[in-house]
Amino acid sequence: MPHVPLFASPDFLGKSQRGLYGDVIQEFDNSIAEILAVVEELGIDCDTMSLVMSDNGPWLGMREHGGSAGLFSGGKGTTWEGGIRSPAVVRWPSMISPGTAMSGITAAWDIFTTLVSISGAEMPTDRDYDGIDMSPALFGDQQKIRDCQNMYSQEVLMATRCDGYKVHWFTKDGFGVPNKQDP
């Protein structure tokens, strides 16, 4: 998701049906395509992992400049589905089959653990990590890498998702103060 202030170059300004936000997304998409074309032109595409992702849902306070969560409730700063479900696309032609989709629970903090595993390096053992190696799911060996995921805002445990179920311990609108829930 792009952040405000939004900017689109003259080649993309006014081209989408979604206003300036859509123009920015189209330009972003085009920029990624240009980068991938150069990687392919250099002959290193099969050895290159490309990752494009968002860290949160739309920033609803920015209205039409903040994106959309579609059918999901909430946005950036919330633990509702619209705030935590965000797209990620991974491309690595020699390792990941086209069309591979992961439906299990993953999180941004899984990237570090996954990259360490893929590189063959060892995780430091002097601390605990929240991330889980996603490579079995990326490479099509399994769909599910974790059963449950806790969601925090600062130090507050806000919600827990286990498979298709989720309980909200606290909720908040955007960046407000957490409201205790009675699950």
Side-chain angles (χ1 to χ4, degrees):
M1 299 257 173
H3 288 249
V4 293
L6 299 179
F7 171 82
S9 68
D11 289 344
F12 291 88
L13 193 59
K15 303 290 184 187
S16 79
Q17 295 178 9
R18 182 64 168 77
L20 180 58
Y21 187 88
D23 298 344
V24 171
I25 295 295
Q26 285 186 348
E27 185 162 8
F28 178 78
D29 183 60
N30 185 73
S31 297
I32 297 298
E34 288 178 353
I35 292 167
L36 292 176
V38 170
V39 169
E40 187 174 343
E41 188 178 296
L42 292 171
I44 58 172
D45 58 319
C46 287
D47 299 322
T48 302
M49 173 193 274
S50 304
L51 169 65
V52 178
M53 63 177 285
S54 179
D55 61 344
N56 50 251
W59 194 356
L60 300 178
M62 294 293 114
R63 303 190 196 291
E64 68 274 0
H65 288 168
S68 169
L71 299 174
F72 297 117
S73 296
K76 179 177 181 172
T78 74
T79 52
W80 299 110
E81 294 306 288
I84 60 167
R85 286 191 185 221
S86 57
V89 177
V90 182
R91 181 182 182 273
W92 194 358
S94 65
M95 299 296 291
I96 302 172
S97 300
T100 298
M102 294 171 47
S103 60
I105 301 170
T106 60
W109 44 87
D110 295 329
I111 294 169
F112 174 70
T113 313
T114 303
L115 294 177
V116 168
S117 173
I118 290 171
S119 72
E122 297 285 325
M123 292 288 289
T125 58
D126 62 340
R127 66 199 82 174
D128 294 324
Y129 297 92
D130 292 331
I132 296 175
D133 179 11
M134 294 185 296
S135 61
L138 284 174
F139 302 144
D141 298 330
Q142 70 184 56
Q143 274 294 307
K144 187 176 177 182
I145 62 167
R146 73 164 46 86
D147 294 321
C148 296
Q149 178 68 54
N150 290 321
M151 289 156 248
Y152 291 87
S153 177
Q154 306 304 322
E155 301 85 32
V156 179
L157 175 60
M158 300 291 288
T160 301
R161 171 179 286 290
C162 291
D163 293 322
Y165 300 94
K166 182 175 177 186
V167 61
H168 284 270
W169 309 110
F170 293 90
T171 59
K172 64 180 184 171
D173 293 327
F175 299 103
V177 177
N179 302 311
K180 186 170 176 55
Q181 300 298 308
D182 184 12

